[in-house]
Amino acid sequence: MKEILCLTILVETSPQALPLGAACIASAIKNHAALKNYKVSLEAFSVEDKELAEKSEDERAGLLAEKILSLHKDLSALLFSVYVWNRKILEKLALILKEKNPSIITIAGGPEVTANPLSFSSFDYLSAGAGEVSSPALLARLLENQEYEDKSPEENPQGFAFGIQGIYENPYLNKSEKNSSDLQTNFTAESLLGYRALSIKMPLVVRSKNPDPAELSSPYLDATLDPQKYGGVLWELARGCPFKCSYCYESKGEKRIQHFPKERLLKELEYFAEKKIPQVFVLDPTYNADKKRALEMLKTIKKIAPDMFFYFEARAEFIDRELARAFAEINCSLQFGLQSADVEVLKKVNRTFDKKLFVRNIGFLNQAGAVFGFDLIYGLPGDTFNGFKNSIDFAMSLYPNNLELFCLSVLPGTQLYEEAESLGLTWQALPPYHVVDSVSFPGPELKRADSLAAACDFFYNCGRAVPWFNSVARSLHLKASAIFGEFAVWAEKMKIDLKKTPADNDFILKCQLDFLQEAYKKRNQQKSFFLAKDLLLLNGAISEATASGRESTVKLTYHPDDLMSEYSQDFSFFLKNARPFNCRVKVFCGKNGVDYKVLK
């Protein structure tokens, strides 16, 4: 049986990198009436796969080509899902496959293609926008000679292939004046400028019509995707976004939300529960914009999947007490795209920010005991290094469970891409398109921000520092950004690469303690270090028991009941009033959760 293969390369091996985009296209092809006689397959490789991890990009492309052709011997068409992280290797892979088997039809789609279809020279056809309708229609025309209405240039001014909206034929292929060497994408310094210029000059990209979610098949329910293979799922509840943040792909998308039918979502949730999927990443950037719908889904999750852990993206301005309580009643974490705490900086990227409202609503989550985190972006137009540090300090004052710090990417196809030069930004011409310099945030300071990001991730996120970080910072009379800065300097002195060093819990704890011991000693606060050490050891053991069930014993200077009291948050008060109590404490999982007891 002839075969159609949907393929992508994942940035990592994790549930968050599950190939949902490629799976949705594969599912749509499976369910297209004209393509029933074709076998439809899905392949998703990861750059972390052992056979690929240590290879160069050219070697990876060669190995993958051999593997694909050996596993799929009767290929008629290949569809590639192209993202920032896999663009270059997929272009090279497509060229190799085409050279070995010229009859294979190659089609590329995904965010990178949608941004600028005509910047690609390695695929036969390019699909801009959602491809569940346009890609099967193209395949039906190419493989089954399905009739279509040939439109005149006046009726089809964008030059869509076969008149299918969003489908572009590659103008660089199948031209007699071109030879094979011309077709290879040459990633030299000179070609980068040409690539970027081509992207800027690209006329308005007309995307395919967004399909009605009610008419789409589920890649989970039709067995296109096996969720157990990835240890979790990406669960699509809605598409679209009513906001217009200029750095986001959605800045040029439709400003409306399309919800998937409740009946489909209920079946998928029941399927996940049946398969005992441990974690679910919810794809809906404005999950709580519709309060009624959000509450209904949270109640459904609580009933059907009480043991699963859910990750939501939400908007802080829509949080209230009722929603906060509902989130706290299920196993979940919310992530908020704060991006910056500077109103003027956010205005430049089409975002609004009411600091008082933000603080109040995040307070509802803290009061309810909900778990949440923030995202911040460094390098935004108009921002500065000091402004970025102020944003870190503001975010950390609200006790987030995690703080993710990202470098701004000037993504082709976004409003920011068109405005970036006028805003004084300089960025990488090829993925990941990071800002490397700007008028207000020079290159050296962007590197300092990158160092802060690595320190924050290692010391705070991986270090599970939520319970004690702010009290330790207050005792040192340091802001959060200053602690991350000092820790980055200390790590460099100790020759510890915060980005590459394996982040096992014992090693991180040792680094935290060694750094804090030096910090307190430098400030002549040795007594405070003993309290900080106790807090780190006890909370670390509790966190480990909660996460993995591992039992441990720690040696403490103070009684654990005193350490777990609110008084330990004020180091000065605690040290004046608490009596030392040298002891050994066992931390374990009891009948009612994690517990501890003092050993004799």
Side-chain angles (χ1 to χ4, degrees):
M1 179 182 286
K2 292 185 177 180
E3 186 176 6
I4 299 169
L5 176 63
C6 294
L7 179 145
T8 193
I9 296 175
L10 310 175
V11 69
E12 61 184 5
T13 305
S14 76
Q16 288 173 281
L18 175 145
L20 181 61
C24 286
I25 302 300
S27 179
I29 296 169
K30 275 185 183 180
N31 289 279
H32 193 281
L35 302 170
K36 292 292 185 182
N37 293 327
Y38 290 84
K39 176 184 177 182
V40 181
S41 302
L42 172 68
E43 286 279 8
F45 302 98
S46 168
V47 295
E48 293 182 347
D49 292 344
K50 287 184 179 179
E51 61 182 343
L52 301 178
E54 302 301 323
K55 300 288 191 300
S56 69
E57 205 155 69
D58 287 336
E59 290 173 327
R60 288 175 179 177
L63 283 171
L64 288 175
E66 291 178 12
K67 189 167 187 176
I68 290 165
L69 292 175
S70 66
L71 292 174
H72 308 277
K73 298 185 182 298
D74 200 11
L75 277 178
S76 296
L78 261 165
L79 292 90
F80 300 80
S81 287
V82 186
Y83 297 87
V84 167
W85 58 83
N86 65 19
R87 171 173 180 154
K88 290 188 283 186
I89 188 172
L90 287 183
E91 287 192 282
K92 292 178 180 180
L93 175 60
L95 288 170
I96 295 172
L97 290 169
K98 196 75 175 177
E99 183 181 354
K100 292 180 179 295
N101 187 347
S103 67
I104 295 176
I105 297 167
T106 59
I107 305 168
E112 282 286 292
V113 175
T114 298
N116 184 354
L118 299 187
S119 71
F120 289 84
S121 62
S122 304
F123 307 98
D124 296 323
Y125 295 92
L126 295 311
S127 174
E132 287 102 335
V133 174
S134 56
S135 293
L138 174 63
L139 289 170
R141 171 70 190 110
L142 294 170
L143 299 178
E144 292 297 296
N145 295 314
Q146 191 175 73
E147 292 185 5
Y148 71 100
E149 183 181 351
D150 193 7
K151 297 181 180 180
S152 67
E154 291 75 20
E155 294 174 305
N156 183 19
Q158 291 84 9
F160 296 132
F162 307 108
I164 303 171
Q165 183 170 324
I167 298 295
Y168 296 84
E169 186 172 7
N170 192 330
Y172 305 109
L173 291 179
N174 304 319
K175 304 293 183 181
S176 59
E177 66 269 18
K178 292 282 185 181
N179 56 47
S180 60
S181 63
D182 291 329
L183 298 180
Q184 296 188 31
T185 304
N186 183 20
F187 296 103
T188 64
E190 291 76 19
S191 71
L192 299 190
L193 295 175
Y195 168 86
R196 179 167 154 186
L198 176 62
S199 298
I200 292 173
K201 295 174 183 175
M202 173 68 194
L204 176 66
V205 175
V206 179
R207 305 178 182 186
S208 61
K209 291 181 180 178
N210 283 336
D212 181 351
E215 298 176 1
L216 298 178
S217 54
S218 167
Y220 295 112
L221 299 179
D222 69 6
T224 299
L225 262 179
D226 178 5
Q228 291 178 310
K229 180 179 178 181
Y230 297 93
V233 297
L234 298 176
W235 190 26
E236 198 172 17
L237 302 191
R239 290 185 181 180
C241 179
F243 300 98
K244 52 180 182 179
C245 308
S246 67
Y247 50 78
C248 177
Y249 281 121
E250 290 294 339
S251 63
K252 288 196 170 183
E254 292 190 22
K255 302 299 181 287
R256 65 190 181 105
I257 302 174
Q258 292 180 292
H259 293 285
F260 282 83
K262 294 180 182 178
E263 297 77 14
R264 164 176 161 162
L265 298 179
L266 179 60
K267 289 179 181 177
E268 287 179 328
L269 186 61
E270 291 173 338
Y271 175 70
F272 300 154
E274 178 189 334
K275 294 290 185 179
K276 301 186 185 308
I277 301 303
Q279 53 187 331
V280 176
F281 295 86
V282 177
L283 300 184
D284 182 348
T286 53
Y287 174 78
N288 59 327
D290 183 335
K291 179 181 174 181
K292 181 181 178 182
R293 187 180 181 89
L295 286 171
E296 286 178 359
M297 181 55 71
L298 291 175
K299 290 177 182 176
T300 302
I301 288 172
K302 184 178 178 180
K303 178 181 178 181
I304 295 176
D307 297 325
M308 273 189 253
F309 196 93
F310 290 78
Y311 297 87
F312 295 94
E313 293 180 61
R315 299 285 297 203
E317 56 264 49
F318 300 141
I319 293 291
D320 61 15
R321 292 185 188 276
E322 186 178 13
L323 273 169
R325 286 194 296 268
F327 280 118
E329 287 175 358
I330 69 169
N331 293 317
C332 75
S333 174
L334 292 84
Q335 199 71 13
F336 296 96
L338 173 58
Q339 317 311 7
S340 173
D342 188 311
V343 175
E344 295 304 315
V345 168
L346 290 174
K347 279 183 182 178
K348 292 181 184 295
V349 289
N350 297 334
R351 286 182 68 92
T352 58
F353 181 57
D354 184 329
K355 186 173 286 191
K356 288 184 179 179
L357 179 66
F358 192 93
V359 171
R360 187 197 72 176
N361 292 358
I362 295 301
F364 294 150
L365 294 171
N366 275 322
Q367 291 163 19
V371 176
F372 63 90
F374 300 134
D375 296 334
L376 290 176
I377 298 175
Y378 55 93
L380 289 168
D383 203 4
T384 64
F385 182 62
N386 285 334
F388 175 61
K389 290 195 295 181
N390 290 338
S391 293
I392 291 176
D393 297 333
F394 169 75
M396 291 297 296
S397 71
L398 300 176
Y399 293 86
N401 187 67
N402 66 290
L403 180 62
E404 307 294 338
L405 309 178
F406 301 99
C407 181
L408 175 65
S409 289
V410 182
L411 300 172
T414 63
Q415 182 182 336
L416 179 63
Y417 191 90
E418 296 176 354
E419 301 172 348
E421 288 190 358
S422 66
L423 291 170
L425 302 180
T426 302
W427 66 99
Q428 296 170 332
L430 284 179
Y433 307 114
H434 284 164
V435 167
V436 294
D437 192 33
S438 82
V439 173
S440 61
F441 216 133
E445 293 191 347
L446 283 167
K447 290 181 179 179
R448 291 176 66 192
D450 183 65
S451 180
L452 285 184
C456 174
D457 188 54
F458 188 101
F459 191 87
Y460 187 77
N461 298 337
C462 298
R464 301 171 178 175
V466 184
W468 50 263
F469 183 87
N470 281 342
S471 56
V472 166
R474 283 192 295 269
S475 72
L476 286 167
H477 305 291
L478 289 174
K479 293 181 178 180
S481 59
I483 288 184
F484 297 144
E486 287 196 14
F487 181 68
V489 172
W490 176 86
E492 185 176 6
K493 181 180 69 176
M494 302 301 293
K495 301 189 184 318
I496 297 170
D497 188 331
L498 298 178
K499 292 183 178 180
K500 296 182 179 179
T501 301
D504 68 272
N505 295 329
D506 291 338
F507 179 73
I508 293 173
L509 178 60
K510 182 180 185 306
C511 289
Q512 290 170 326
L513 289 172
D514 289 349
F515 164 71
L516 289 176
Q517 184 172 23
E518 185 175 301
Y520 280 111
K521 184 178 180 181
K522 185 166 59 177
R523 292 165 175 81
N524 199 26
Q525 293 180 246
Q526 283 87 340
K527 287 185 178 180
S528 292
F529 171 69
F530 291 117
L531 173 54
K533 181 179 180 181
D534 274 11
L535 289 173
L536 266 68
L537 290 173
L538 182 57
N539 281 289
I542 291 172
S543 179
E544 183 62 28
T546 303
S548 67
R550 191 176 89 176
E551 180 181 295
S552 61
T553 300
V554 293
K555 292 182 179 180
L556 303 176
T557 304
Y558 294 95
H559 196 285
D561 290 346
D562 292 337
L563 294 169
M564 297 304 293
S565 74
E566 62 183 38
Y567 302 112
S568 66
Q569 300 300 303
D570 185 336
F571 274 39
S572 179
F573 179 86
F574 188 93
L575 292 172
K576 288 178 181 177
N577 294 279
R579 294 182 178 179
F581 185 86
N582 293 303
C583 58
R584 292 168 61 246
V585 176
K586 180 180 179 181
V587 179
F588 58 94
C589 291
K591 293 181 179 179
N592 299 315
V594 175
D595 202 353
Y596 60 82
K597 68 177 180 180
V598 177
L599 301 176
K600 294 182 179 179

